[in-house]
Amino acid sequence: MMSGKDIRLRRIFHADGRAVVVALDHGQFKHEPKGLENIKEVLSRVVDGRADGIILNPGPASQFASVYAGKAALILRLTGASTEHNPNFDYHRQITTVEQAVALGADAVLVMGFIGGRGEAHSLELLAKIAGDCSRYGMPLIAEMLPVEPDRFYDTEWIRCAVRVGYELGADCIKAYFSGEPAYRSVIDSCPVPILIAGGPKVADPQDMVRQALELGASGVAFGRNIFESNDPTGVTEKLVSMVHS
Ligand code: 5RP
């Protein structure tokens, strides 16, 4: 018998077990992120591009439901409370609850997990607590697992540790950076749940990164800036959907 988690996950990961997720949650950390000034417009364009899911903070999730409902799955961000002006990058707190995610119609929730900084213990404790809430409500948990030091963001060893910790604490799916190395297969092999590749800063052509990540076993992408900073968010989303699901 399928559980509530399985049913919700099917709305994000279709029959091929892969997904294209678009992250539009940057406004919680940055004042007017470039390309996201009109979030409703971008949301509508990535929905037109047939994104499987979108990551939103509670405000836009509730205000713009008519744009995405029935077309793209909602992944609600549950942690934040730390802007670009806070010197402690890993100072994240819980900003809303799994119960609220249920009320908003979410298909999954997303929680940040930081590795290696002063905020590590708090962030992992919170991740584990929310994993318990998710189990009670049948809500899939996506853990965005990040080494806290920018010079470790793309370090395969650190990413392997980060994704494994996310899985061990109860995540159903991991969002993590791609290091671009063949050794990334060891990251995938060490993590029994699907990994979606996070995008990072906009690059001229993200397709090579996506192709490599899929070949090494990633289950898809969770991209933000590479989509909403482009001139054609619909076209970029369509291209990713065709690569990921072909
Ligand atoms: C918000 C985030 C993003 O969800 C994540 O970083 C993916 O977006 P991008 O592809 O722009 O890195 O955590 O700040």
Side-chain angles (χ1 to χ4, degrees):
M1 199 175 79
M2 288 183 90
S3 67
K5 277 194 181 194
D6 295 329
I7 293 167
R8 290 189 170 95
L9 280 169
R10 279 288 179 92
R11 299 186 192 129
I12 304 171
F13 294 92
H14 297 280
D16 61 0
R18 287 182 168 183
V20 173
V21 168
V22 183
L24 302 177
D25 54 342
H26 301 55
Q28 190 191 155
F29 310 111
K30 253 179 142 24
H31 171 66
E32 283 209 347
K34 181 171 162 270
L36 262 194
E37 296 86 350
N38 185 343
I39 187 167
K40 185 179 182 190
E41 169 68 19
V42 180
L43 181 55
S44 141
R45 292 176 70 179
V46 302
V47 167
D48 286 348
R50 304 185 76 81
D52 298 306
I54 32 136
I55 302 172
L56 291 173
N57 290 309
S62 134
Q63 195 182 2
F64 303 130
S66 62
V67 179
Y68 63 81
K71 297 175 184 157
L74 170 64
I75 300 163
L76 188 73
R77 176 176 276 285
L78 292 200
T79 55
S82 171
T83 72
E84 59 183 336
H85 301 298
N86 185 337
N88 303 311
F89 174 61
D90 55 356
Y91 184 96
H92 274 224
R93 295 294 184 265
Q94 184 164 1
I95 52 147
T96 187
T97 60
V98 177
E99 202 174 2
Q100 180 64 12
V102 172
L104 283 172
D107 299 295
V109 295
L110 183 130
V111 170
M112 211 76 131
F114 291 108
I115 299 296
R118 280 186 299 165
E120 183 185 86
H122 175 80
S123 114
L124 298 183
E125 184 182 34
L126 185 56
L127 177 61
K129 177 200 156 290
I130 293 174
D133 298 342
C134 284
S135 295
R136 274 194 298 286
Y137 284 96
M139 179 64 75
L141 171 62
I142 303 180
E144 178 166 352
M145 299 304 297
L146 283 181
V148 77
E149 296 299 336
D151 62 350
R152 300 287 189 195
F153 276 7
Y154 301 100
D155 182 318
T156 303
E157 288 298 312
W158 279 65
I159 298 171
R160 184 163 55 228
C161 170
V163 305
R164 181 70 193 212
V165 170
Y167 159 68
E168 296 282 346
L169 296 184
D172 302 290
C173 170
I174 305 287
K175 175 178 170 201
Y177 280 125
F178 180 55
S179 63
E181 290 186 13
Y184 202 82
R185 193 178 292 282
S186 69
V187 174
I188 305 277
D189 288 347
S190 72
C191 181
V193 294
I195 296 183
L196 297 175
I197 300 302
K202 185 171 180 309
V203 293
D205 182 2
Q207 290 187 46
D208 265 356
M209 169 168 64
V210 177
R211 195 169 296 113
Q212 275 180 50
L214 292 172
E215 272 168 22
L216 292 171
S219 297
V221 300
F223 279 7
R225 286 163 286 180
N226 274 288
I227 296 174
F228 66 72
E229 285 185 10
S230 91
N231 295 328
D232 180 15
T234 304
V236 178
T237 307
E238 279 171 343
K239 207 172 279 174
L240 290 169
V241 168
S242 109
M243 286 182 79
V244 167
H245 290 300
S246 65

